Amino acid sequence: GQNIDQPTEMTATEGAIVQINCTYQTSGFNGLFWYQQHAGEAPTFLSYNVLDGLEEKGRFSSFLSRSKGYSYLLLKELQMKDSASYLCAVMDSNYQLIWGAGTKLIIKP
Amino acid sequence: DGGITQSPKYLFRKEGQNVTLSCEQNLNHDAMYWYRQDPGQGLRLIYYSQIVNDFQKGDIAEGYSVSREKKESFPLTVTSAQKNPTAFYLCASTRTPEGTGELFFGEGSRLTVL
């Protein structure tokens, strides 16, 4: 079966750095997405990785290792507004998205 | 500004009633999707449409129906056959018919069955 695993909840301190991991087992691979979702709102796109390596976009970076079936989202200089759920999704060989359950990130002052 | 509009934002339904959730987009996107989100679970695909007058079942289509008569519109009907319809429903679209690329989401509709 196809599976995406990410931690259920993480806590970090304002101004710090946090890394949210995502491991996957899918039928084929056509890219990995990260989305941010604030409580009660719709997800918004953060990043897309299809090749191995690190993609940096401001305070947010996303890393992919296809051989390990592993990605992480790195958030630097955490702000209170970063409190949200972070969703990992993998596009399989049929171009269908497989979603993880999301990681709820709690930022403390 | 272009985007996806879902309505209503909140909806209450009595058991045995059908309800229709509206989804309209002015992004000129070909592909549109309906997802269901439940606490502690990943998004689950209900139906998707890659082109007008055509749509495909997703992983959890039972108890739901859709239509795609116009490119801009993709309404979802939650029928009385859906056993557990209380959930957060998200409509989304992608630029390409194949569904590659990022998803653009509407604000969501929260359905509660009384």
Side-chain angles (χ1 to χ4, degrees), chain A residues 33-35 42-48 87 89 91 95-99, chain B residues 4 27 29 31-35 43 45 48 90-96 99-106:
Chain A
F33 296 82
W34 284 96
Y35 286 82
T44 54
F45 172 78
L46 287 177
S47 67
Y48 171 68
L87 313 181
M91 186 164 281
Y95 295 97
Q96 299 297 311
L97 275 176
I98 314 300
W99 293 84
Chain B
I4 299 180
L27 299 166
H29 285 178
M32 297 186 74
Y33 307 82
W34 274 105
Y35 284 97
L43 298 183
L45 183 64
Y48 65 100
L90 288 161
C91 180
S93 68
T94 54
R95 203 170 281 117
T96 62
T100 56
E102 66 182 275
L103 282 164
F104 292 79
F105 286 91

Side-chain angles (χ1 to χ4, degrees), chain A residues 37 43 87 99-101, chain B residues 6 13 21 33-47 58-64 76 78-79 81-92 105 108-113:
Chain A
Q37 185 178 26
L87 313 181
W99 293 84
Chain B
Q6 286 187 241
R13 187 194 97 173
L21 308 180
Y33 307 82
W34 274 105
Y35 284 97
R36 171 180 170 141
Q37 187 173 36
D38 295 282
Q41 297 189 41
L43 298 183
R44 292 185 289 168
L45 183 64
I46 304 172
Y47 268 99
D59 300 319
I60 56 165
E62 185 176 351
Y64 299 97
L76 174 74
V78 184
T79 75
Q82 168 50 232
K83 300 302 181 189
N84 184 22
T86 294
F88 189 48
Y89 290 89
L90 288 161
C91 180
F105 286 91
S109 295
R110 188 167 298 279
L111 172 63
T112 303
V113 174

Side-chain angles (χ1 to χ4, degrees), chain A:
Chain A
Q2 306 200 92
N3 194 50
I4 310 284
D5 284 317
Q6 36 179 149
T8 301
E9 187 173 296
M10 299 181 69
T11 301
T13 304
E14 190 177 15
I17 299 173
V18 70
Q19 177 175 311
I20 302 173
N21 296 326
C22 172
T23 58
Y24 62 90
Q25 292 175 307
T26 56
S27 303
F29 180 83
N30 278 302
L32 185 144
F33 296 82
W34 284 96
Y35 286 82
Q36 180 190 60
Q37 185 178 26
H38 286 100
E41 298 182 8
T44 54
F45 172 78
L46 287 177
S47 67
Y48 171 68
N49 294 70
V50 66
L51 299 176
D52 290 349
L54 186 69
E55 296 273 347
E56 297 186 75
K57 194 184 291 186
R59 293 189 299 115
F60 291 9
S61 303
S62 56
F63 172 82
L64 174 67
S65 169
R66 288 173 296 170
S67 62
K68 296 182 179 178
Y70 168 69
S71 172
Y72 67 74
L73 182 69
L74 191 71
L75 289 74
K76 303 176 184 176
E77 302 169 13
L78 286 170
Q79 302 175 9
M80 297 304 293
K81 68 178 181 178
D82 297 330
S83 292
S85 288
Y86 291 86
L87 313 181
C88 174
V90 173
M91 186 164 281
D92 68 12
S93 57
N94 294 319
Y95 295 97
Q96 299 297 311
L97 275 176
I98 314 300
W99 293 84
T103 299
K104 182 178 181 179
L105 178 63
I106 299 168
I107 310 296
K108 296 187 174 179

